[in-house]
Amino acid sequence: MKKLMSLLVVASVFMACTDDDIRTEQNLSNGPKVVGFISSLATVEYFTDEGVVLREFPMSLIGNGNGQPSATPIEVTYEVDPASTATEGVEFDFVDNSGKITIPAGGTFGNFPINVNTGQLNPTQKTQLILNLVSSTPGSTIGAQYDQLRITFVGCQSQLQGSYTVIISTVAGTSTRTNEIVSVAGVNAFQTRYVGRYALGTFTPAGYRFVDICGEIAVPDQNLGQYSNQVYGIDAYGPGVDGIVTSPTQFEVKHNISFAAGDQTQNYRYTRNN
């Protein structure tokens, strides 16, 4: 299996950075100050009524222009995207109705706060509040790849942990494992015992991680065990959805593993053991 690493070393020679790969906000010596959401996704999860809880989401100063924080506040206006499915007054309430997020003078970030109504999150499906950054103070600019934040409200707690039989298929063939164990790795997050058709003990850590949000499964980018090959989702069931829960005892997942010779899709069908 060490061959996996050598293949990637060869591939990396052909993927060295060029000047075209450098984003403008990485040049801190000149240009405008670049602002935006470093993380485009945030999850708010509550499964019991804890009352109203204040949550804050940072908007950051990503590129400093002249290398110094701004001597004056940077104000950024935002709009709620019409594709939002969360409702003000139900899942959340705005703390500030100005429609602006402010990075204070000398600061590196400003917070977007909301009050979360924990007892009113949907118990069967996720909802989202989507913010689009629109304009900013002169002398600053909004990074195109940092101009949106999706806040996902989750009121459904996943219970996928347990013992499974899993059928794993790839272009190379099909394997059936009767001793798959899905363990809890966090809130609505899980770790498998197996990844692909590889034997148990091949990788450290073993398996792969995934997240279940109201029956929709996402596979975050991660290493293939101790190797630098990437396990990543492919949106096989829709944008951001790499698997689905099909019944109380079954779910399925698809993801890719990167290889120098070409990425390979892994297909899984899990059935809970009695």
Side-chain angles (χ1 to χ4, degrees), residues 55-58 78 94 101 110-114 129 131 149 151:
R55 295 290 297 268
E56 296 180 311
F57 306 90
Y78 66 84
F94 289 112
I101 305 172
N111 279 322
F112 169 71
I114 58 172
L129 170 62
L131 300 181
L149 172 65
I151 302 172

Side-chain angles (χ1 to χ4, degrees), residues 89-100:
V90 181
E91 292 95 335
F92 72 96
D93 288 291
F94 289 112
V95 174
D96 179 356
N97 289 304
S98 68
K100 297 179 180 179

Side-chain angles (χ1 to χ4, degrees), residues 260-273:
D263 296 357
Q264 187 181 101
T265 300
Q266 317 293 307
N267 301 276
Y268 306 83
R269 187 177 298 273
Y270 297 83
T271 301
R272 190 182 294 272
N273 296 326

Side-chain angles (χ1 to χ4, degrees), residues 44-271:
V44 175
E45 298 167 311
Y46 291 98
F47 311 116
T48 59
D49 188 352
E50 300 181 20
V52 177
V53 175
L54 175 67
R55 295 290 297 268
E56 296 180 311
F57 306 90
M59 181 198 69
S60 299
L61 179 60
I62 299 167
N64 290 347
N66 61 2
Q68 300 296 322
S70 177
T72 58
I74 298 175
E75 290 188 343
V76 180
T77 62
Y78 66 84
E79 294 178 345
V80 175
D81 195 295
S84 297
T85 53
T87 303
E88 181 183 5
V90 181
E91 292 95 335
F92 72 96
D93 288 291
F94 289 112
V95 174
D96 179 356
N97 289 304
S98 68
K100 297 179 180 179
I101 305 172
T102 301
I103 298 177
T108 57
F109 71 94
N111 279 322
F112 169 71
I114 58 172
N115 284 321
V116 179
N117 303 317
T118 62
Q120 298 191 59
L121 303 192
N122 193 308
T124 61
Q125 62 183 9
K126 67 182 181 182
T127 59
Q128 287 189 327
L129 170 62
I130 307 171
L131 300 181
N132 296 321
L133 300 181
V134 178
S135 63
S136 62
T137 299
S140 66
T141 187
I142 299 166
Q145 62 269 58
Y146 306 115
D147 65 353
Q148 186 178 84
L149 172 65
R150 291 175 176 263
I151 302 172
T152 302
F153 299 92
V154 181
C156 38
Q157 187 170 16
S158 179
Q159 302 290 342
L160 290 183
Q161 67 270 21
S163 173
Y164 287 85
T165 293
V166 56
I167 299 173
I168 308 167
S169 59
T170 72
V171 294
T174 300
S175 297
T176 299
R177 313 287 193 188
T178 60
N179 62 337
E180 173 65 279
I181 299 297
V182 175
S183 57
V184 175
V187 178
N188 285 15
F190 302 92
Q191 182 84 26
T192 66
R193 173 182 281 183
Y194 291 99
V195 58
R197 298 171 60 244
Y198 295 101
L200 188 65
T202 303
F203 302 110
T204 303
Y208 69 95
R209 301 185 309 278
F210 68 88
V211 178
D212 171 31
I213 303 296
C214 303
E216 294 184 349
I217 293 171
V219 178
D221 294 353
Q222 58 199 276
N223 284 356
L224 180 63
Q226 68 270 39
Y227 300 100
S228 58
N229 304 64
Q230 285 290 291
V231 174
Y232 63 94
I234 55 175
D235 299 348
Y237 297 83
V241 184
D242 305 308
I244 53 173
V245 179
T246 55
S247 77
T249 59
Q250 292 184 317
F251 68 95
E252 53 193 57
V253 179
K254 295 182 181 181
H255 69 71
N256 273 9
I257 299 177
S258 64
F259 296 97
D263 296 357
Q264 187 181 101
T265 300
Q266 317 293 307
N267 301 276
Y268 306 83
R269 187 177 298 273
Y270 297 83
T271 301

